[in-house]
Amino acid sequence: MSEIRTIDAYIAEVRAHLAPLGASQRDEVLAELESLLRADADRAGEAAALEAVGDSETYAAGVLEALHDDADDAEAAGQPTPQGTVLGMPYDFRGMSVDRIGSRVWNPAAPRIFMPRMFGLGWTFNLGAIAVKLGLIRPDDVGEDSYERIPPVALAVAVAVPALLAVAAAAVLLVAWPMLPAKVPTHWGVSGAPDDWGSRDVVLSILLAFAVVPAALTYPMILRRRTSARSRLLSAAALAMEAVLVLGIAVLTVLDANGGSSGNWMWLVVLGVLVVPFFMLYVPMRRGLHVEWREVVPSDGEGDCHADQHPAERSARVGAPGDHRACRGAAGPRDLRPGGDVAHPRGPARVREALAVGGHHPVREPDRRDRVPRRRAQAGEGGRSAHHSVFRAARATAQACRPGDGRALRRL
Amino acid sequence: MAQARDERATQFRKGALELVILALLDRGELYGVEIVDRLAERSGLEASAGTVYPLLSRLKKAGVVDTTWRESPVGPPRKYYRLSTAGHRELAEMTRLWRDISDAIDEVLTGGAGNE
């Protein structure tokens, strides 16, 4: 492909390499390239102009890189990047994507609670940040691969929630339809009483469409075999956010249709929009984490105190890298675990094994204090009594740390 | 004025943060809060958890760091980070790059060689 003598041939080649681009964008790029080349050719001759731009493949690769959508990359890295802002309010009308749900609705690593909405104008809640603020998880507990560890049953339950909500909303609307008057409420005031009314058939049709259509569009993707656990869970949660709202409005419309006011229940609907997706995300994640934690490598109890409370221990750690080597499993001089070499094979492989069997485990309540004693019991039976003393030491350290700000520590 | 300075310092730090975190992890594995604490110990390198955690998950996704869960006596197991093989390469590469750039900038700032 080196001996191209004409500008037309060169452009044809670049065009072929730019196949991934949209037609209009590609034409624009090629028109610009052509005008540049022609201008150059007038000055220095065609051969020199072609020489200067280099080979067509490299040129096309450069173009593709320059036009690459950085926003999508940022979104995938957990950095919400709205399409634009109006009067300081973010907006997005590009349609949903799993990365956008992951960076906005469930992003524990980011401390912001208010995130740009996935679709439309304004903000949404970062349920991941709320879980961190509540001390339920640490910002980095849930990683990309944690989703794959969620037990299938927990995932299936979460995925079923928006379908149940949609069916419930459709049922409420269809059953009530013949019994309702010609005008039904469409808007509620601050007091909770309806203050605007619309045609029954129009209002109920719209609500029915909002209940059914998003679910009907999303479920084929969620249920596809090759869809990842992450996509399933995040999509289901986003779907549930909308479904709770539609169900709530459908119920209020029906209840208040005869002129009365059932009371100010809109707050309950708004609360449901937050709480239902929160549990749909948090509970499966928690179960997935338990699968990971079941095979945790025991720590040697060091470095578990907060830095400020044990400066001496801390500096000892900084100064003794051998210590960390010990943690990695290579037998270091200060490795307190004779079973250290056993520890690693017990790790991820066992977790995967457990999952392959069907991921069915007794899931414990997230009681944080039961872990150390439980481990102790296990260590004792295997004749690895060294574990015993290690855990006793660990516990002593833990207790020494605790009185000050035990609660705060547990959140770290 | 002071605010503009802070803003600039933040921008500088953000670029260097990845290198600093890789260097910290080169000395041994650390968990998230420890990394934030280590950075806070060095004035000029402080970074909020909101900056560090997204960066860590990006590094993990890029395969530059590996993670392991380890038991913690004060709560649920903690996720520890360490350099992967690719991470060691990345660190060496970035260190070289950093030295080249900082040497070149120093030279320009002190008005040394390169003046014509």
Side-chain angles (χ1 to χ4, degrees), chain A residues 76 111 138-141 143 145 292-293 296-297 299 303-304 314 317 324 327 368 371 375 394 398 402 410, chain B residues 27-29 31 33-34 37-38 41 50 53-54 58 60-61 69-79 81:
Chain A
R138 298 195 185 101
D140 60 342
D141 274 347
D145 42 354
E292 288 187 58
W293 291 346
V296 162
V297 178
S299 115
D304 291 307
R314 183 177 191 79
R317 291 190 76 202
H324 298 289
C327 278
R368 282 118 190 236
R371 309 201 157 273
R375 284 282 164 188
R402 208 165 276 153
R410 250 168 285 139
Chain B
R27 298 181 208 169
E29 53 177 32
Y31 58 88
V33 176
E34 272 184 315
D37 285 352
R38 292 287 158 88
E41 281 167 12
Y53 284 113
R58 194 160 61 72
K60 164 93 193 312
K61 221 169 147 185
W69 289 102
R70 291 195 195 290
E71 192 95 45
S72 146
V74 290
R78 286 196 177 108
K79 195 180 261 182
Y81 297 83

Side-chain angles (χ1 to χ4, degrees), chain A residues 339-357:
Chain A
D341 49 339
V342 190
H344 278 277
R346 287 173 67 231
R350 273 280 287 273
V351 175
R352 247 174 268 128
E353 199 179 292
L355 275 175
V357 187

Side-chain angles (χ1 to χ4, degrees), chain A residues 303-321:
Chain A
D304 291 307
C305 282
H306 198 273
D308 306 341
Q309 289 157 325
H310 288 259
E313 188 170 299
R314 183 177 191 79
S315 57
R317 291 190 76 202
V318 178

Side-chain angles (χ1 to χ4, degrees), chain A residues 1-147:
Chain A
M1 49 181 61
S2 52
E3 291 307 306
I4 300 159
R5 291 291 125 207
T6 73
I7 287 176
D8 287 339
Y10 182 82
I11 286 178
E13 250 193 59
V14 174
R15 179 185 296 278
H17 290 307
L18 287 180
L21 278 187
S24 68
Q25 207 171 22
R26 190 173 54 215
D27 290 344
E28 206 176 303
V29 167
L30 292 171
E32 198 179 311
L33 171 64
E34 187 169 356
S35 77
L36 278 171
L37 281 173
R38 301 254 179 247
D40 238 17
D42 285 347
R43 253 186 296 123
E46 206 170 12
L50 286 171
E51 176 94 23
V53 285
D55 80 279
S56 59
E57 199 175 345
T58 315
Y59 184 88
V63 169
L64 289 177
E65 198 185 313
L67 292 177
H68 181 77
D69 194 352
D70 289 333
D72 282 351
D73 280 356
E75 206 79 50
Q79 191 63 244
T81 318
Q83 197 177 4
T85 54
V86 203
L87 302 172
M89 267 219 275
Y91 68 86
D92 233 308
F93 293 99
R94 292 173 295 183
M96 305 284 258
S97 86
V98 173
D99 282 338
R100 250 172 255 152
I101 305 171
S103 77
R104 300 176 190 202
V105 177
W106 184 263
N107 189 351
R112 283 171 64 187
I113 288 187
F114 291 97
M115 284 291 192
R117 278 181 76 112
M118 294 171 287
F119 189 84
L121 182 70
W123 288 270
T124 185
F125 288 95
N126 177 4
L127 301 174
I130 293 177
V132 171
K133 291 246 160 40
L134 291 176
L136 297 172
I137 53 169
R138 298 195 185 101
D140 60 342
D141 274 347
V142 178
E144 291 273 298
D145 42 354
S146 311
Y147 293 90

Side-chain angles (χ1 to χ4, degrees), chain A residues 70-323:
Chain A
D70 289 333
D72 282 351
D73 280 356
E75 206 79 50
Q79 191 63 244
T81 318
Q83 197 177 4
T85 54
V86 203
L87 302 172
M89 267 219 275
Y91 68 86
D92 233 308
F93 293 99
R94 292 173 295 183
M96 305 284 258
S97 86
V98 173
D99 282 338
R100 250 172 255 152
I101 305 171
S103 77
R104 300 176 190 202
V105 177
W106 184 263
N107 189 351
R112 283 171 64 187
I113 288 187
F114 291 97
M115 284 291 192
R117 278 181 76 112
M118 294 171 287
F119 189 84
L121 182 70
W123 288 270
T124 185
F125 288 95
N126 177 4
L127 301 174
I130 293 177
V132 171
K133 291 246 160 40
L134 291 176
L136 297 172
I137 53 169
R138 298 195 185 101
D140 60 342
D141 274 347
V142 178
E144 291 273 298
D145 42 354
S146 311
Y147 293 90
E148 302 303 327
R149 305 242 160 87
I150 297 172
V153 176
L155 186 61
V157 170
V159 162
V161 170
L164 295 176
L165 292 168
V167 168
V172 166
L173 292 168
L174 292 175
V175 169
W177 203 312
M179 297 183 258
L180 296 183
K183 291 277 176 196
V184 295
T186 55
H187 193 269
W188 287 262
V190 193
S191 66
D195 60 5
D196 203 358
W197 302 72
S199 148
R200 175 190 71 181
D201 291 346
V202 173
V203 172
L204 295 198
S205 307
I206 291 174
L207 282 175
L208 194 60
F210 273 112
V212 175
V213 173
L217 291 178
T218 315
Y219 268 102
M221 182 280 284
I222 293 180
L223 298 177
R224 212 175 295 148
R225 189 179 283 268
R226 64 172 189 277
T227 303
S228 69
R230 176 172 180 263
S231 298
R232 285 175 202 218
L233 188 61
L234 292 178
S235 308
L239 201 53
M241 271 187 156
E242 192 257 6
V244 173
L245 191 64
V246 175
L247 175 62
I249 293 174
V251 169
L252 285 180
T253 304
V254 169
L255 288 182
D256 292 353
N258 289 313
S261 165
S262 52
N264 196 349
W265 293 110
M266 206 43 104
W267 65 269
L268 190 66
V269 177
V270 173
L271 193 68
V273 167
L274 275 180
V275 170
V276 172
F278 182 87
F279 281 101
M280 282 174 61
L281 291 163
Y282 175 67
V283 174
M285 301 268 184
R286 188 88 207 169
R287 299 207 164 186
L289 281 175
H290 275 273
V291 172
E292 288 187 58
W293 291 346
R294 275 172 70 83
E295 300 301 331
V296 162
V297 178
S299 115
D300 52 13
E302 221 186 317
D304 291 307
C305 282
H306 198 273
D308 306 341
Q309 289 157 325
H310 288 259
E313 188 170 299
R314 183 177 191 79
S315 57
R317 291 190 76 202
V318 178
D323 226 275

